[in-house]
Amino acid sequence: MLQNSEYNQPDNFISREISWLKFNLRVLREAGIKDLPILERLKFLSICSSNLDEFFMIRVAALWQQIENNINHPDVAGLTPKQQIERISKSAHTQTKLQYRYLSAILKELNSLHQIHFVRVFELSELSRNWLDNFYHEIIYPVLTPMAIDASHPFPFLANKTLNLIIELINYEQELVMAVVQVPSVLPRIVEVQIGCAEKTYVFLEDIIMHYCQHLFQGCQIIDIQPFRITRNSDLWVDEEDTDNLLKEIEASLRRRKNGDIIRLEISKSDNKNMKNFLISTLELEETDVYQILGPLDLTCFMNFACSEEFSHLEHPPFIPQQPLDINPELDIFDQVRQHDVFLHHPYESFDPVINLINQAADDPKVLAIKQTLYRVGGNSPIVAALARAGENGKQVTVLVELKARFDEENNVHWAKKLEAAGCHVIYGLYGLKTHAKITLIVRREYSGLKRYVHLGTGNYNNSTAKLYTDMGLITANEQFGVDASAFFNMLSGYCEPPELKKLSIAPINLRQKFYDLVDTEIRNAQAGNPAHIILKMNSLMDKNVILKLYEASGAGVKIELIIRGICGLKPGVKAVSENISVRSIIGRQLEHSRILYFHNAGEEKVFLSSADLMSRNLNDRVEILFPIEDINILQRIKNILKLYLKDNVKAHMLQSNGTYRRITNAKQVKTNAQQSLYALAKKNVIKQPLSLNTKLKPLYHRDNKY
């Protein structure tokens, strides 16, 4: 596939890790936009920090493992693991410094304009310090554990991402020694001073402990104290080949994850180098692994603060997911789906119809079977509760729970056990593959015989992220979709050969080839002098052969518009390579998560939705689904949504041929914010006010504040 073509040169690609850092920089720069409410800017700082944590825990850790194993294979851009580490270190250090410049500006603005003060203990009044003294002794002191470091006290084990204090002191034997105190994660990191302050005043938990640290080391002389934080390798490796019980192997791997190698040290900046050098030596790190911080460590602590109801006037005004255009909540959902396909656009339209569909199926005596895939379902999942109830009601319930969903493994193990206890058949997917497809099949006995209802989506069955991520779903009673869905689940649960499907395309079986065929059609149309146009929207584009195919299409004259939120290995606008390709990234209030594929197809337009990004892992190592939109009204709606994204000149950034991104700004154009426009459209489309939708659309964060 064009492996030896002129397109296949390292200079025509962007390194995955460098592209990711560029993405996180776009997230970070939202914190510097003065037009945003100030606490929204603070949230973006928190999100950026959480993103960096995961990047180091997974991506940087993997590169270090390659180096340790003497693997020097270059990436798509020609960079060896060592070269990638060097570039990552330089970029991440620069990004970290920018984070704290933004933080300093935000805290000053909170102080001067909003009377919200973050202070050091010594800046408090005597009355406030008296209150703090009582707070320390009653609340903080009982959970502190000072840990000496000497011949009889080895350096303690430090959990991943925990905040600690390193203390240099002279002990009662007049020896210069070190000690560690962990800042307890069971207590609030940001403490409001309750007495003696006319305005809102806060101190950081570690600053309180540092102020009272002498109390922990009586008889010793404290020389200096510095907060520090470590990041460990947290990738989960599971030996599927030599295990006969994947559930137990995942549980064992979760225990091993806690002991991963340390790959980053964050430490408060100080002129005293003794403690930093001690940690570097003890933790066996390189100087480049150390990030000296001028400010509070771990900015993820600001997310809960920024989401406080008390400060809602400093956030975006809340908006409520609307009743979907295609659903009347007063009518039976099965009756409506039999009449027409139902399109759902989250979070602008509520996720409630999906939950209601599973709830109704669980209790409907006509429903015989429910089959569903679960990747990330979150806590207190109403969908899992409905599936468990269906199992208890005697229905045939089959649930594929993906135990290897990164950082949701423990949660999914819990749900798998709960579903099994309820009498559901729980399966864990195909050997060597993650099941990332989003599909539900409901089999119902009706007057005309058995009827199959299918839900397909671009996002997870997670009622929390459905309020945060932009995703699309389709509910259909089309018999061909139903037949394909049955074959799909039989493939997952049994020993049958990969099925021949009429509507669905599945990775790793034929989704890649389906994509190539669709692109080839546009190439032929362009070569024949006909209009040829491709629009792709997704999270990430990194598969080398897919990029080469898009370069081939560009060379043939196909117009290609890409909307890629995160990493993108394709370079647009390169002469004789990608002159007909543009790439934009939208970073806004909601996380852009939907995967949409549009092909002009000589005027017979085709639109597909998918669970898959165009990444090698999605196309080769995951079970994914691509499905067509055949209802002409839904197809037109999705086209209009794509047009809005392509018109966005408020939250869009354009990728340049040199790998940098430039925010779109044009004072002469009418401002178009796609996300705001889509919400306004959802409100306009409402048939009537939602009957049960009183949940505010949450701000952009989830789990560890990931964006």
Side-chain angles (χ1 to χ4, degrees), residues 321-353:
Q322 301 297 297
Q323 177 61 42
L325 177 65
D326 290 348
I327 285 283
N328 186 332
E330 296 182 344
L331 301 178
D332 181 271
I333 192 167
F334 293 117
D335 290 342
Q336 294 180 75
V337 175
R338 271 199 309 276
Q339 295 172 27
H340 59 83
D341 288 354
V342 168
F343 174 67
L344 303 170
H345 190 197
H346 316 301
Y348 313 105
E349 296 182 327
S350 172
F351 190 68
D352 278 11

Side-chain angles (χ1 to χ4, degrees), residues 120 149 164-171 175-181 206-207 209-211 213-214 217 220-228 267-279 292:
R120 302 293 302 275
I149 303 170
N164 303 274
L165 303 176
I166 180 77
I167 300 128
E168 184 181 30
L169 52 83
I170 297 175
N171 65 14
E175 299 171 323
L176 185 66
V177 295
M178 298 287 182
V180 168
V181 175
E206 65 269 24
D207 190 43
I209 299 170
M210 290 166 66
H211 181 78
C213 210
Q214 186 66 61
F217 297 95
C220 302
Q221 178 188 349
I222 293 179
I223 305 299
D224 203 357
I225 309 173
Q226 283 180 258
F228 74 98
I267 186 167
S268 183
K269 193 169 185 178
S270 170
D271 292 333
N272 185 339
K273 306 299 181 187
N274 292 341
M275 291 177 284
K276 184 193 77 169
N277 292 336
F278 171 77
L279 289 172
Q292 296 188 74

Side-chain angles (χ1 to χ4, degrees), residues 39 42 45-46 49 99-100 103-104 106-108 110-111 116-124 131-133 135-136 139-140 144 163-165 182-185 187-194 200-213 225 227-229 268 293-306:
L39 291 189
L42 194 58
L45 277 184
S46 179
S49 289
Q99 272 185 291
Y100 283 87
L103 176 65
S104 177
I106 289 171
L107 294 184
K108 286 178 181 176
L110 284 171
N111 182 28
I116 298 173
H117 312 289
F118 285 83
V119 302
R120 302 293 302 275
V121 173
F122 66 81
E123 297 176 281
L124 293 171
W131 175 86
L132 198 64
D133 185 79
F135 182 82
Y136 169 78
I139 305 297
I140 302 175
L144 295 180
L163 184 60
N164 303 274
L165 303 176
Q182 182 172 324
V183 177
S185 58
L187 298 178
R189 174 77 186 285
I190 298 173
V191 177
E192 182 179 358
V193 180
Q194 301 288 340
K200 290 291 183 181
T201 301
Y202 300 88
V203 291
F204 289 99
L205 180 60
E206 65 269 24
D207 190 43
I208 301 173
I209 299 170
M210 290 166 66
H211 181 78
Y212 288 97
C213 210
I225 309 173
F228 74 98
R229 181 175 183 260
S268 183
I293 306 299
L294 195 59
L297 306 187
D298 184 15
L299 302 187
T300 61
C301 68
F302 283 110
M303 182 56 75
N304 286 336
F305 174 83

